[in-house]
Amino acid sequence: MQDPTYLILLALSDRPRHGYGILLEVSELSRGTIRLGPGTLYGALERLEEAGHVELDREEIEEGRPRRYYRLTRRGRRVLVEETERREALVGLAKQRLAHR
């Protein structure tokens, strides 16, 4: 799983968010190293929705514009947990190897 996809799922792990909120949260989680554009975000959300990892939570109208809120599904949460464990194992391996040098 690529970092942007992982961070999108992580951004949705605590509550539903609209697109712009996801963009801000991904930037914050990555300490500004990953800044997604709207096209990239909505393409990723579409793929994640097709995979059953996220779903539409609700749609609201704010200042005359629709805002779609997305939430993590149970399947998406499971995938996020599995990916987090995989990443932790890699970090553990890296620390072991670096400690021996």
Side-chain angles (χ1 to χ4, degrees):
M1 179 181 295
Q2 298 294 317
D3 288 347
T5 303
Y6 178 76
L7 289 169
I8 290 168
L9 292 175
L10 189 57
L12 294 171
S13 65
D14 62 342
R15 68 174 191 258
R17 295 180 193 274
H18 55 75
Y20 185 66
I22 296 169
L23 292 176
L24 292 177
E25 187 68 8
V26 165
S27 181
E28 184 176 318
L29 288 168
S30 71
R31 297 184 178 137
T33 61
I34 296 179
R35 294 180 183 261
L36 302 174
T40 301
L41 173 66
Y42 287 106
L45 285 171
E46 186 176 306
R47 288 187 299 278
L48 289 167
E49 203 169 12
E50 288 171 1
H53 299 161
V54 302
E55 62 189 6
L56 184 64
D57 182 69
R58 67 187 183 277
E59 193 168 14
E60 297 176 351
I61 304 297
E62 188 171 310
E63 296 179 13
R65 295 175 39 190
R67 278 201 168 169
R68 298 182 81 187
Y69 286 75
Y70 295 89
R71 70 172 169 249
L72 201 58
T73 63
R74 285 186 184 159
R75 182 177 183 177
R77 184 167 298 280
R78 187 174 63 247
V79 166
L80 179 60
V81 167
E82 290 169 0
E83 179 64 11
T84 300
E85 290 169 351
R86 185 189 74 79
R87 288 171 180 250
E88 286 174 339
L90 288 174
V91 168
L93 177 61
K95 286 181 178 181
Q96 283 180 334
R97 291 207 169 193
L98 292 170
H100 289 29
R101 291 193 167 226

